[in-house]
Structure formats: C-alpha cells, structure tokens
Amino acid sequence: MYIKIKPQKYGLKIMCLCDFKRHYLVNAFIYCGKWNFPNPRKLSIPTQNELSLVMAYADSNRNVTGDNWFSSVELVDELLKVGLTYIGTVRKNKREIPENIIPTKKDVEGTKKFFYQG
C-alpha cells in the first residue's frame, strides 16, 4: 500500500480479526486492494473484507467491533443476516448518516448523540 503521509511510503496492510478477551489473533489476510472474486451483490470493499474475516463465526451471536473504515449500514445489515452484531465509530461525512446526527457549531463540546433504528 502507498500512504503518502507516512515516513515509509510503502508497506503491507494486514486485516486482522482478534479476540478481545484473550488478545489473540483469530484470522488475518494481507490486504491487496480490490477483490478479484465475483461480487454479485455489489458490496463495498470494506464490507467484503470484514465479512471474509468473520464468516467463521456466523450464527454465533457475537459482537464485532471495528473502526470507521469498516463502519457502514451495509456492513451492519450483512452481519445481522449471519447472526452477528456490530459496534464501531462512524465518520461524519458518510452518505448514510442522517443530517440530525452530524455535529454542528451550536452543539456543546463533548456532546454525544445516540440513535437507534429498529
């Protein structure tokens, strides 16, 4: 991968699934960019990556925690279909974020907003 802001511009990006309680690497692969596999449902690359890591735990009623690169409504919907839940941070510039959740200048610093959709 090329990351222009890093001192070492090129490096390997490894996608990892780790056990939170035991601090143990469960599954991993070297990220090579776009997938060469058929994608009939047109899932985004982050969603495909996350699903490939967690599918061994389908129907286990576990929770997956991820950072903002993975977080999307699409991913949450796909995980729910296979019996998993998701918690993660979301960037405020994602298209699927409702307008009333985006921070404004009127909000008091440190304000948190939580929303739930059935």
Side-chain angles (χ1 to χ4, degrees):
M1 290 220 37
Y2 174 74
I3 306 173
K4 66 180 180 180
I5 63 170
K6 298 287 185 180
Q8 297 295 324
K9 305 290 184 213
Y10 292 92
L12 294 175
K13 184 172 187 174
I14 302 173
M15 298 285 176
C16 300
L17 176 66
C18 301
D19 184 293
F20 174 75
K21 289 184 180 178
R22 295 176 191 91
H23 308 287
Y24 187 79
L25 178 67
V26 177
N27 193 0
F29 66 90
I30 296 174
Y31 176 70
C32 298
K34 292 186 177 183
W35 285 71
N36 293 328
F37 303 108
N39 185 9
R41 293 187 293 165
K42 305 293 184 213
L43 299 174
S44 67
I45 292 171
T47 298
Q48 291 177 60
N49 290 332
E50 186 80 21
L51 290 174
S52 71
L53 288 170
V54 303
M55 285 312 286
Y57 295 95
D59 297 320
S60 66
N61 295 321
R62 294 182 185 207
N63 184 62
V64 177
T65 304
D67 73 356
N68 57 37
W69 189 71
F70 295 104
S71 297
S72 68
V73 173
E74 173 189 58
L75 173 62
V76 173
D77 289 341
E78 292 299 319
L79 290 174
L80 284 173
K81 289 177 188 175
V82 296
L84 298 168
T85 57
Y86 185 83
I87 293 177
T89 57
V90 180
R91 291 183 183 166
K92 65 181 178 181
N93 62 351
K94 290 257 187 172
R95 287 176 287 186
E96 54 212 14
I97 302 300
E99 289 289 324
N100 58 351
I101 227 177
I102 297 173
T104 64
K105 292 181 180 181
K106 294 179 181 178
D107 291 339
V108 177
E109 186 176 330
T111 299
K112 306 288 187 239
K113 296 179 181 179
F114 297 90
F115 288 81
Y116 174 79
Q117 181 178 349

